[in-house]
Amino acid sequence: MAWTQQEVRELKEGRYLLIDDEPCRILSIQTSKPGKHGEAKARIDAVGIFDGAKRSVVFPVKHKVQVPMIGKKQAQVLSLTDAEVQLMDLETYETFSLPLDANLKGQLTPGSEVQYLDAMGKRQISRT
């Protein structure tokens, strides 16, 4: 289980939420007042961590949503090619390959350490 449940009213900006099985970072939350026969609703605007797509959802404030468990881990760069980078986790010594982003091409060198995000079976380099 790579996620937990939380009520919408407990969420805050900057935290994470699962929308369409994609981990997203919350950009803003607007809540409306309850109506005559209804309950208060919250509109959540978020951006996907791995794909960068913007998403919006509307839920009642008492609704339970899935919150992903996001791990921030350290890794060492083992090798570089034009399309991917091979990394080794510094805690488990597991090696894995990730696609190389265009904005990271000049910043990575073999032997350097990077921070990566691990959530819902996906990984991405977050900091060099």
Side-chain angles (χ1 to χ4, degrees):
M1 181 158 105
W3 51 269
T4 61
Q5 282 192 341
Q6 201 170 14
E7 286 191 8
V8 172
R9 64 178 161 200
E10 297 169 349
L11 296 176
K12 295 184 178 166
E13 293 179 10
R15 296 214 177 142
Y16 300 97
L17 167 73
L18 274 181
I19 301 174
D20 300 329
D21 291 330
E22 184 70 29
C24 299
R25 185 171 177 269
I26 298 172
L27 298 176
S28 66
I29 300 175
Q30 296 97 22
T31 56
S32 65
K33 294 183 179 180
K36 187 173 181 181
H37 298 290
E39 59 181 302
K41 304 256 188 317
R43 177 187 170 90
I44 301 171
D45 295 321
V47 63
I49 296 173
F50 299 114
D51 60 1
K54 289 189 177 182
R55 295 174 172 87
S56 295
V57 290
V58 177
F59 291 122
V61 292
K62 293 183 181 178
H63 185 76
K64 290 193 182 280
V65 293
Q66 297 173 344
V67 177
M69 306 286 264
I70 296 180
K72 294 179 182 175
K73 301 180 181 180
Q74 294 288 110
Q76 182 179 9
V77 178
L78 296 179
S79 66
L80 285 168
T81 63
D82 292 336
E84 65 180 26
V85 58
Q86 187 177 19
L87 300 172
M88 178 182 68
D89 189 289
L90 292 178
E91 290 180 13
T92 63
Y93 302 109
E94 171 193 6
T95 60
F96 55 93
S97 296
L98 293 178
L100 186 59
D101 291 338
N103 56 355
L104 293 175
K105 278 195 177 183
Q107 299 176 0
L108 298 177
T109 57
S112 63
E113 291 185 9
V114 295
Q115 183 180 30
Y116 71 95
L117 297 177
D118 184 15
M120 303 295 292
K122 298 179 182 177
R123 296 176 178 154
Q124 180 182 19
I125 296 174
S126 61
R127 196 177 295 170
T128 58

